[in-house]
Amino acid sequence: MASKAPKKANLLDHHSIKHILDESVVTSRGFVEDVRLSNVRLFIGTIIIVIALFAQFYKKKFPENRDLLIACIVLYIAFNGLLQLVTYTKERNAVLFTYPPVASFTSTGLVVSSKLPRFSDAYTLTIASADPKSISANEPVNFTKSVARWFTKDGVLVEGLFWKDVEALIDQYMKEPKKGK
């Protein structure tokens, strides 16, 4: 029986460390990943690609298709701006969006986000409600801990230790009193 290969990061590259930790934050406790925002971003990206391909391979050559090229450039810029707006306003530092648990009374899923500032070993993981205005939304919870806790000197992630901290954070979120109470 083949065992799962350990996740290894370059300890001198904070992007590599953050990527490994973010990748390890998977769904648990009945939370299913909500991929609707990712699908919207993919759809907008596909529209951008179609616009670029249309401008590139339109059957008329340059002087004759000048107006079409200008329209394609304007649409390309507009859809790229829309894509950036969606990413900036909705996604931010989010690693994971979830639906509410299946057998739960809550009507909102979770947003899991993370930060690892440059030249720092302090990794911050935050769990918040996907709909903070919902009556069933809890207050956001987070922890900030050194990444040295979860990696060996060779850069191998000790997932059990990391998951103990993540599970404790999920427990803390679930036990938090509801907003306004």
Side-chain angles (χ1 to χ4, degrees):
M1 183 165 143
S3 64
K4 197 166 77 169
K7 295 179 180 177
K8 191 170 182 181
N10 177 356
L11 295 178
L12 300 175
D13 178 14
H14 80 282
H15 290 295
S16 173
I17 293 169
K18 185 177 183 310
H19 178 76
I20 294 288
L21 292 173
D22 290 349
E23 188 179 277
S24 297
V25 178
V26 295
T27 58
S28 71
R29 302 247 182 126
F31 286 96
V32 177
E33 185 174 3
D34 181 357
V35 294
R36 290 179 294 185
L37 186 60
S38 294
N39 290 343
V40 167
R41 289 178 52 226
L42 285 171
F43 181 69
I44 294 171
T46 302
I47 291 171
I48 292 168
I49 291 169
V50 168
I51 291 169
L53 289 172
F54 188 73
Q56 178 69 31
F57 297 112
Y58 188 69
K59 58 186 173 186
K60 292 184 180 177
K61 295 299 173 200
F62 174 60
E64 300 166 4
N65 69 349
R66 183 174 175 262
D67 293 337
L68 176 77
L69 285 176
I70 291 171
C72 286
I73 290 169
V74 168
L75 285 173
Y76 185 86
I77 291 169
F79 276 102
N80 266 304
L82 178 64
L83 183 60
Q84 291 301 315
L85 183 70
V86 167
T87 301
Y88 180 74
T89 60
K90 297 292 183 189
E91 194 170 76
R92 299 192 184 208
N93 292 326
V95 175
L96 175 71
F97 292 91
T98 71
Y99 289 109
V102 176
S104 151
F105 292 111
T106 63
S107 61
T108 180
L110 301 179
V111 175
V112 180
S113 58
S114 69
K115 289 184 216 171
L116 180 62
R118 192 170 183 194
F119 305 120
S120 173
D121 69 335
Y123 179 79
T124 301
L125 187 68
T126 304
I127 297 178
S129 172
D131 182 11
K133 295 177 182 169
S134 171
I135 195 166
S136 63
N138 287 351
E139 291 291 328
V141 295
N142 65 52
F143 69 66
T144 301
K145 297 184 179 180
S146 171
V147 296
R149 298 173 54 105
W150 306 309
F151 286 94
T152 66
K153 64 180 180 173
D154 299 323
V156 176
L157 175 64
V158 182
E159 286 189 83
L161 291 175
F162 181 64
W163 260 105
K164 279 184 187 177
D165 290 337
V166 172
E167 287 289 329
L169 190 63
I170 293 171
D171 288 340
Q172 181 184 351
Y173 177 81
M174 294 304 197
K175 290 177 185 172
E176 281 289 315
K178 305 290 186 219
K179 286 184 175 182
K181 292 188 179 177

